[in-house]
Amino acid sequence: MALALDRIRVGSAPDSWGVWFPDDPQQVPWERFLDEVTEAGYSWIELGPYGYLPTDPARLTDEVTKRNLKVSAGTIFCGLHRGPSEWDSTWEQVSNVAALTQAMDAKHLVVIPSFWRDDKTAEILEAPELTTEQWRNLTTGMERLGREVKDRYGLDIVVHPHADTHIDTEEHVERFLDSTDSDAVNLCLDTGHYAYCGGDSVKLIETYGERIGYLHLKQVDPEILADVVKNEVPFGPAVARGVMCEPPAGVPELGPVLTAAQKLGVDLFAIVEQDMYPCEPDKPLPIAVRTRKFLRSCGA
């Protein structure tokens, strides 16, 4: 008999509707996203890029409430490995997103490290490996961010390993976790990005379970990924090729990931994020409906 996944709260995000930017003519309007995510059977959402959904708390509350939706998290990008000079610009972004996240009664801020190569042009922006000093800047900066976000907004930060960033592979993720304080910062494990970078999500959950604070559910197509890795294709064009695919067609298997997460004995969000930028406007909803049905078959 399958383990009842009663500690897992499933949701979706604008990303699964092809939304990467606050405003882009290739993206569906936010009203359509909210209507369709409800139609697909989800009750939890993330805010997505700041400015895509209304940023006025009263208006956003009205829009989500009338659709019986709730918000699980906001998201920011930051480059704290560059040192203290990054703090002010980071905090300016954080304060906007965290205030809205708090106003929506969410409890998490997903923090994504900045990209070392441009996800559209493939231009190399920085070295893909950090120096010892940069690692120290990254870990101490994230701890400071975690403590200040908690103190000021009551939110927990969860750092999101991501392709084409400095926190990507198993080695880098473990180094980051081993170098940071769990009281200040934990992990948003994105199953797709971790597989994209060669990691094993079940192993990570079983080894660093106390550091897993949030989940993003996605899968990668192994054949497309092999070509992406072989030809050093940057993340943006890889997504356009379909490297992130509809479950259960890719890896990792999500059933064992959810079972391992359930065994941690804590409440966890598991937010579906199938990167599809850009995509035709009619494409996301049928995929979202099928994905929700698939996750129910896993017990979630």
Side-chain angles (χ1 to χ4, degrees):
M1 182 174 157
L3 191 68
L5 303 178
D6 59 352
R7 305 302 294 263
I8 309 296
R9 291 170 286 183
V10 172
S12 193
D15 186 59
S16 294
W17 267 255
V19 175
W20 276 12
F21 303 101
D23 184 41
D24 188 294
Q26 299 188 84
Q27 297 176 172
V28 296
W30 62 266
E31 298 95 336
R32 180 170 178 177
F33 159 67
L34 291 178
D35 289 342
E36 291 190 352
V37 76
T38 305
E39 185 179 341
Y42 294 99
S43 56
W44 292 95
I45 60 166
E46 290 184 355
L47 294 176
Y50 182 75
Y52 174 66
L53 294 176
T55 56
D56 174 64
R59 185 176 183 205
L60 184 55
T61 298
D62 180 58
E63 294 289 349
V64 299
T65 301
K66 71 185 184 185
R67 295 173 174 88
N68 294 314
L69 293 169
K70 293 170 284 188
V71 175
S72 61
T75 304
I76 65 129
F77 286 82
C78 65
L80 292 173
H81 65 283
R82 300 185 193 111
S85 61
E86 285 288 305
W87 180 260
D88 289 347
S89 60
T90 299
W91 189 255
E92 183 180 0
Q93 179 196 177
V94 167
S95 58
N96 287 328
V97 177
L100 183 59
T101 304
Q102 179 191 43
M104 300 311 295
D105 291 326
K107 301 300 180 191
H108 294 89
L109 186 68
V110 178
V111 180
I112 300 175
S114 57
F115 286 50
W116 54 260
R117 67 176 164 188
D118 190 284
D119 64 339
K120 282 188 172 180
T121 67
E123 177 191 357
I124 303 297
L125 305 172
E126 299 182 72
E129 289 286 340
L130 296 178
T131 65
T132 301
E133 182 184 8
Q134 287 173 323
W135 267 108
R136 189 164 52 248
N137 289 337
L138 176 64
T139 55
T140 58
M142 287 292 193
E143 287 179 333
R144 179 185 175 190
L145 186 66
R147 292 190 173 100
E148 298 212 14
V149 165
K150 186 74 170 178
D151 287 346
R152 299 197 196 189
Y153 298 101
L155 306 177
D156 293 323
I157 73 164
V158 281
V159 174
H160 180 317
H162 197 293
D164 288 1
T165 77
H166 295 108
I167 306 178
D168 49 3
T169 61
E170 178 180 351
E171 178 189 359
H172 288 162
V173 169
E174 291 188 353
R175 180 172 180 177
F176 177 76
L177 291 174
D178 290 342
S179 305
T180 50
D181 184 345
S182 61
D183 290 338
V185 55
N186 285 301
L187 206 69
C188 168
L189 170 58
D190 184 301
T191 61
H193 280 280
Y194 202 50
Y196 187 109
C197 299
D200 180 332
S201 289
V202 171
K203 178 185 172 187
L204 187 68
I205 292 169
E206 291 176 345
T207 308
Y208 286 89
E210 74 284 356
R211 303 298 300 275
I212 307 297
Y214 199 92
L215 295 172
H216 277 172
L217 301 180
K218 64 164 73 89
Q219 288 188 324
V220 292
D221 181 311
E223 290 186 11
I224 297 175
L225 179 63
D227 187 65
V228 162
V229 172
K230 178 183 175 184
N231 294 296
E232 299 183 356
V233 178
F235 182 66
V239 166
R241 292 185 186 191
V243 71
M244 299 298 185
C245 62
E246 177 182 345
V251 296
E253 251 191 288
L254 294 180
V257 171
L258 291 166
T259 298
Q262 169 71 22
K263 288 178 179 176
L264 296 177
V266 296
D267 293 331
L268 283 174
F269 282 107
I271 304 298
V272 177
E273 267 206 335
Q274 184 184 341
D275 293 286
M276 289 198 294
Y277 179 86
C279 70
E280 295 299 317
D282 293 334
K283 186 178 179 183
L285 177 58
I287 292 175
V289 170
R290 291 191 296 265
T291 301
R292 187 68 194 95
K293 183 179 179 181
F294 166 69
L295 291 173
R296 285 195 182 98
S297 77
C298 296

